[in-house]
């Protein structure tokens, strides 16, 4: 699994605050945009929400014990901004920070490296009420929040990510409207994208921590054919999915192809002097969340609707094609996409790379005699780990691989219907009993394999 890279690949498992914690009104936590969005009729499948989620807020010790039993090197979690700053600005709620401090200390006591993400989509509602990410003041507020978390945990957490998948926060949230806050305003989504990049850059600077990166759901964008129409829409999709993040981070610029679909990014009222310079070089490492490739083509009027169709504002006449085989959430399984993405991103950025999420939703996991069989998930992770090994052998500087996710949880607009976990959570009773699936035991064996070596302490240290 190590390829030609000198250091062993760190193996881990990832979660996010709103998806697992529950306890939404406890210890002073304020409302987030996901509380509000999930309460909107029809926004989330089955009317589900994160009120209880996996109740991880109350089961911290049990859940850390699961991570320990998995044997992994690292655990990636996110901090809920509304727990730390219930109003989004100003007053800090120490009980919120206490929770994450307990989590970090428990992990460290078990020899597990904590990897913290500052923003995994739970924006404090008061900030959205004031305009949300399309407004510059949200980026300013993020820096204060980031500093407060880092002041408390920076002596123990050495791997930090500012944002998780800002493409989703900007374009699913403000253009497609299928994620919180559920707005369908294309230009606002581009404005949000700029402020997410900027807030990352400012926070990385404020933290003064050499280990601050950002997690992007970059995707290989494969036009369905070489037809100029297909290539043109694919370029627009690539601009919004990949280049709007990588270009400012690497070059301190937005390119022409992006400006064609997002002319607002040339507006000096939005992109102010110094913004792009601040972005350039601001990521010490890149997290990549990979699930599936994107296959655009010019619309022919016969494609089934795709939930992300509206997430590429400015790209006209777009179809998104999904090939077989697919997981239960409808995403094509294609490990070669991960290999290509890692090699290309390595060449493009030269940064240390971590696969901060990869995994699969599969259905029908029932507990029989204490076992949950999920051979399809094992095959998915096995084949993607093989792709990582090939990318490393080709020279990509990949430091870590995190399975999404530790346990079945609140899958955003899909509610609890789509399950990605290595651990089954019984939602049929309030006990929320956790049962490790076959994939959990299989992954534990991969982690323990003597040939692997142990992941280096300090996932992204030089
Ligand atoms: O559950 C999400 C996670 O929050 C972000 N990345 C994709 C996962 C699966 O949809």
């Amino acid at each position: 699994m190590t390829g030609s890279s000198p250091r062993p690949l760190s193996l881990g498992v990832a979660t996010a605050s709103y998806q697992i914690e529950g306890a939404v009104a406890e210890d002073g936590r304020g409302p987030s945009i996901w509380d509000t969005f999930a309460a909107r009729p029809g926004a989330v499948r089955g009317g589900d929400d994160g009120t209880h989620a996996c109740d991880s807020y109350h089961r911290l010790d049990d859940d850390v014990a699961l991570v320990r039993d998995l044997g992994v090197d690292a655990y990636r979690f996110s901090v809920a901004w509304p727990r730390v700053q219930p109003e989004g600005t100003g007053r800090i709620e120490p009980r919120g920070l206490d929770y994450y401090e307990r989590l970090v200390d428990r992990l460290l006591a078990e020899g597990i490296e904590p990897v913290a993400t500052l923003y995994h989509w739970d924006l404090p509602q008061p900030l959205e009420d004031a305009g949300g990410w399309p407004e510059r003041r949200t980026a300013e507020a993020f820096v204060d929040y980031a500093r407060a978390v880092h002041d408390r945990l920076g002596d123990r957490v050495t791997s930090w990510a500012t944002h998780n998948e800002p493409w989703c926060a900007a374009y699913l949230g403000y253009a497609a409207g299928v994620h919180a806050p559920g707005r369908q305003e294309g230009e606002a989504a581009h404005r949000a994208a700029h402020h997410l990049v900027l807030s990352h850059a400012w926070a990385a600077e404020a933290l003064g921590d050499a280990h601050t990166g950002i997690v992007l759901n970059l995707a290989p964008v494969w036009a369905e054919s070489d037809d100029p129409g297909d290539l043109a829409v694919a370029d627009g999709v690539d601009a919004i999915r990949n280049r709007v993040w990588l270009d400012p981070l690497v070059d301190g610029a937005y390119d022409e192809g992006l400006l064609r679909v997002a002319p607002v990014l040339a507006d000096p009222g939005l992109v102010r002097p110094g913004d792009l310079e601040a972005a350039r070089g601001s990521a010490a490492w890149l997290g990549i969340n990979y699930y599936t490739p994107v296959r655009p083509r010019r619309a022919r009027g016969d494609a089934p609707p795709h939930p992300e169709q509206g997430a590429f504002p400015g790209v006209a006449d777009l179809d998104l094609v999904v090939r077989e085989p697919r997981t239960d959430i409808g995403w094509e399984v294609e490990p070669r996409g991960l290999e290509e993405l890692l090699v290309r991103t390595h060449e493009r950025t030269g940064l240390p790379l971590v696969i901060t999420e990869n995994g699969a939703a599969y259905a029908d996991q029932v507990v029989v005699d204490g076992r949950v069989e999920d051979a399809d998930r094992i095959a998915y992770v096995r084949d993607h780990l093989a792709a990582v090994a090939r990318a490393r052998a080709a020279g990509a500087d990949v430091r870590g691989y995190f399975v999404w996710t530790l346990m079945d949880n609140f899958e955003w607009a899909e509610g609890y219907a789509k399950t990605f976990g290595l651990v089954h959570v019984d939602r049929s009773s309030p006990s929320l009993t956790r049962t490790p699936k076959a994939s959990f035991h299989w992954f534990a064996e991969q982690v323990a394999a003597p040939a692997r070596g142990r992941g280096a302490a300090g996932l992204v240290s030089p």
Side-chain angles (χ1 to χ4, degrees):
M1 195 184 290
T2 52
S4 64
S5 297
R7 48 199 286 165
L9 187 69
S10 286
L11 294 178
V13 67
T15 62
S17 49
Y18 189 70
Q19 294 181 270
I20 65 165
E21 286 176 3
V24 291
E26 255 170 84
D27 289 341
R29 178 188 180 276
S32 83
I33 56 173
W34 268 96
D35 300 299
T36 309
F37 182 69
R40 190 192 284 183
V44 174
R45 184 195 279 249
D48 291 343
D49 62 32
T51 303
H52 302 294
C54 303
D55 194 34
S56 219
Y57 192 76
H58 297 119
R59 302 177 194 216
L60 185 152
D61 288 344
D62 293 348
D63 289 343
V64 171
L66 282 170
V67 181
R68 178 203 60 211
D69 293 349
L70 201 48
V72 287
D73 306 304
Y75 176 67
R76 173 173 176 248
F77 64 97
S78 79
V79 178
W81 188 346
R83 284 199 194 284
V84 174
Q85 248 181 335
E87 289 85 27
T89 53
R91 185 179 68 88
I92 300 296
E93 171 52 78
R95 289 173 294 176
L97 287 170
D98 292 346
Y99 170 70
Y100 297 106
E101 183 165 53
R102 278 202 308 281
L103 173 62
V104 165
D105 287 345
R106 290 287 305 116
L107 291 167
L108 291 172
E110 298 291 356
I112 302 161
E113 175 172 3
V115 178
T117 302
L118 287 162
Y119 185 72
H120 197 125
W121 310 347
D122 34 9
L123 186 71
Q125 184 61 41
L127 289 174
E128 176 57 28
D129 294 342
W133 283 111
E135 297 300 324
R136 198 171 173 95
R137 64 185 152 212
T138 302
E140 289 160 2
F142 179 73
V143 181
D144 288 344
Y145 154 68
R147 210 183 269 118
V149 179
H150 191 264
D151 282 352
R152 178 74 84 91
L153 301 177
D155 58 341
R156 280 155 286 174
V157 175
T158 52
S159 299
W160 291 89
T162 51
H163 291 290
N164 179 76
E165 302 183 4
W167 176 77
C168 296
Y171 292 100
L172 295 181
Y174 290 94
V178 296
H179 276 193
R183 286 164 56 181
Q184 293 182 321
E185 303 162 35
E187 190 172 288
H190 295 311
R191 296 176 63 86
H194 179 66
H195 293 139
L196 284 154
V197 168
L198 193 57
S199 65
H200 154 79
W202 285 343
E205 166 85 29
L207 265 46
D209 194 310
H211 306 112
T212 307
I214 184 168
V215 172
L216 303 173
N217 56 338
L218 302 173
V221 174
W222 294 336
E224 270 288 275
S225 80
D226 289 343
D227 175 89
D230 288 355
L231 292 176
V233 291
D235 186 71
V237 167
D238 182 57
I240 290 177
R241 190 65 192 258
N242 298 317
R243 302 195 318 259
V244 71
W245 319 109
L246 286 183
D247 286 5
L249 295 172
V250 176
D251 302 331
Y254 290 131
D255 78 9
E256 272 178 31
L258 172 63
L259 296 180
R260 265 197 298 280
V261 293
V264 70
L265 292 174
D267 176 353
L270 173 65
V271 183
R272 300 194 190 161
D275 286 3
L276 291 171
E277 289 74 9
R280 182 171 48 220
S282 59
W285 61 279
L286 267 191
I288 295 181
N289 294 354
Y290 174 81
Y291 293 89
T292 191
V294 180
R295 297 182 184 273
R297 72 173 191 203
R298 186 180 288 290
R300 292 168 202 167
D302 57 353
H306 189 289
E308 294 172 4
Q309 202 97 30
F312 298 95
V315 183
D317 299 328
L318 169 67
D319 270 353
L320 294 168
V321 176
V322 183
R323 295 194 186 171
E324 301 288 345
R326 305 179 191 187
T327 63
D328 186 43
I329 204 168
W331 299 348
E332 178 184 342
V333 179
E334 183 39 286
R336 281 176 307 160
L338 178 57
E339 179 183 354
E340 176 186 304
L341 188 61
L342 290 170
V343 171
R344 281 207 186 164
T345 310
H346 169 71
E347 288 166 358
R348 173 79 181 98
T349 69
L351 290 170
L353 305 177
V354 178
I355 297 120
T356 31
E357 289 181 24
N358 176 243
Y362 284 112
D364 299 323
Q365 293 132 6
V366 282
V367 185
V368 179
D369 297 334
R371 278 189 68 81
V372 182
E373 299 302 340
D374 60 343
D376 32 21
R377 180 169 292 101
I378 293 173
Y380 183 99
V381 174
R382 181 198 61 214
D383 293 349
H384 285 78
L385 275 170
V388 176
R390 291 195 298 274
R392 278 162 58 93
D397 180 11
V398 184
R399 306 285 178 89
Y401 172 96
F402 290 69
V403 172
W404 183 267
T405 179
L406 175 63
M407 58 193 150
D408 296 341
N409 60 41
F410 179 75
E411 177 50 31
W412 308 111
E414 298 291 344
Y416 296 99
K418 303 295 171 192
T419 50
F420 283 81
L422 297 179
V423 175
H424 176 270
V425 176
D426 180 5
R427 305 208 70 81
S428 68
S429 85
S431 67
L432 296 173
T433 301
R434 279 91 157 119
T435 305
K437 302 178 189 177
S439 57
F440 179 101
H441 302 297
W442 175 85
F443 193 56
E445 281 167 23
Q446 312 311 303
V447 174
R452 182 179 79 92
R454 184 81 188 158
L459 183 62
V460 288
S461 54

